[in-house]
C-alpha cells in the first residue's frame, strides 16, 4: 500500500512511511499506485512542490505510461477507451474516464481456453487521460480483454495459468513518468524497469526484446 486509507484493511506497512524513514524527512504523495501495481511513484519533499506537481498532474503536462498484459488481442491495435467509471466503493457517481492504448506485442501460448487449444495475450502501452479508481484495469475488463493477474477485475482461468508459470503478480507496470520540474520547468522523465516476476512473464511470452525497446525508447523520445 502506498499510504494508509480506508482500503488498507488492517495493513501496517506503507510505502510513504518507509520513505519518510529512509530519507529522514517528510514526504508528500503526488499520486498513488494500486497495491498490486509496480513502477514509478512520485513524491515531493515539501508542500509547495507537491502542490505544483499536483496541478501539473491535472494537466497535459504530466504524462503517465503503463505496460499491461491482457488476454486476447485488442482491435484496433491502437485506440481510445472512453467509458465513464464510478469512484469505487461508496462513490457511485460515474465520471468521464479515458484511456489511450497501443498494442506493442502479441503472443499465443498452448493454454486451452474455452473451445480453443491455445490462448492469446497482448502487451499494451496504456496512457490514462483521467485518474479514476482502478481505471486501466476496469477499462480493459470493459473491452473483454481482462488484465492478467487482476484478482478483482480479471479472468481467473488465465490468472491461474500464469501462476502455474511462476507469475503471481498483476501484470500492470507504471514504467514511465514525465513532468515539468516544479521550480524551473525543465522536463523530468523517469523510467522504471520491471521486477524479476515481470521479466519472467515477458520471457515466457517472448517479449523480452520488446520490453527492452520500450524502456529505451519511450513515447515522445
Amino acid at each position: 500500500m502506498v499510504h494508509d486509507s480506508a482500503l488498507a484493511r488492517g495493513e501496517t506497512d506503507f510505502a510513504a512511511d518507509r520513505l519518510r524513514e529512509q530519507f529522514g524527512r517528510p514526504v508528500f504523495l503526488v499520486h498513488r499506485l494500486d497495491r498490486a501495481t509496480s513502477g514509478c511513484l512520485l513524491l515531493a519533499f515539501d508542500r509547495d512542490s507537491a502542490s505544483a506537481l499536483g496541478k501539473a498532474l491535472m494537466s497535459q503536462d504530466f504524462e503517465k505510461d503503463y505496460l499491461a498484459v491482457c488476454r486476447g488481442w485488442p482491435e484496433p491495435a491502437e485506440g481510445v477507451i472512453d467509458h465513464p467509471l464510478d469512484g469505487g466503493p461508496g462513490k457511485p457517481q460515474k465520471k468521464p474516464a479515458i484511456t489511450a492504448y497501443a498494442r506493442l506485442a502479441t503472443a499465443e501460448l498452448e493454454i486451452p481456453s474455452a473451445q480453443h487449444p491455445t490462448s492469446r495475450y497482448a502487451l499494451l502501452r496504456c496512457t490514462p487521460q483521467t485518474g479514476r479508481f482502478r481505471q486501466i484495469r476496469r477499462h480493459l475488463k470493459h473491452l473483454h480483454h481482462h488484465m492478467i493477474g487482476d484478482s478483482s477485475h480479471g479472468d481467473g482461468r488465465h490468472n491461474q495459468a500464469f501462476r502455474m508459470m511462476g507469475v503471481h503478480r498483476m501484470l500492470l507496470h507504471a514504467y514511465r513518468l514525465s513532468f515539468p520540474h516544479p521550480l524551473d520547468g525543465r522536463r523530468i522523465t523517469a523510467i522504471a524497469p520491471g521486477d524479476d516476476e515481470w521479466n519472467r512473464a515477458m520471457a515466457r511470452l517472448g517479449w523480452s526484446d520488446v520490453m527492452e525497446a520500450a524502456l529505451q525508447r519511450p513515447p515522445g523520445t
Side-chain angles (χ1 to χ4, degrees), residues 16-145:
D17 292 342
R18 285 193 185 192
L19 291 168
R20 290 186 186 101
E21 183 176 353
Q22 177 180 333
F23 291 112
R25 59 192 296 189
V27 296
F28 301 87
L29 293 167
V30 176
H31 71 118
R32 295 170 292 176
L33 294 174
D34 289 347
R35 175 173 12 193
T37 305
S38 60
C40 297
L41 180 66
L42 181 61
L43 307 97
F45 284 131
D46 61 79
R47 292 186 184 277
D48 290 343
S49 295
S51 177
L53 289 167
K55 292 176 181 177
L57 178 64
M58 304 301 294
S59 72
Q60 298 301 313
D61 284 339
F62 198 103
E63 300 171 5
K64 294 189 292 182
D65 291 299
Y66 294 74
L67 295 173
V69 179
C70 70
R71 58 172 292 274
W73 297 353
E75 292 287 352
E78 295 188 22
V80 174
I81 308 166
D82 187 348
H83 177 67
L85 296 171
D86 62 36
K91 300 178 180 179
Q93 181 182 358
K94 290 189 175 183
K95 296 182 179 180
I98 300 172
T99 304
Y101 73 89
R103 204 174 67 201
L104 303 182
T106 59
E108 192 165 356
L109 301 181
E110 293 183 357
I111 298 173
S113 177
Q115 294 83 24
H116 305 284
T118 60
S119 295
R120 290 180 169 185
Y121 301 99
L123 177 65
L124 305 180
R125 181 179 66 240
C126 297
T127 305
Q129 307 298 320
T130 51
R132 307 302 175 210
F133 179 72
R134 297 179 178 175
Q135 178 172 312
I136 297 174
R137 299 160 62 179
R138 296 164 75 192
H139 269 173
L140 290 180
K141 179 182 179 182
H142 174 69
L143 291 187
H144 304 289
H145 290 287

Side-chain angles (χ1 to χ4, degrees), residues 181-199:
H181 192 285
L183 295 182
D184 56 24
R186 60 193 165 95
R187 198 75 189 170
I188 303 294
T189 298
I191 303 292
D195 62 11
D196 289 344
E197 232 174 296
W198 175 275
N199 293 333

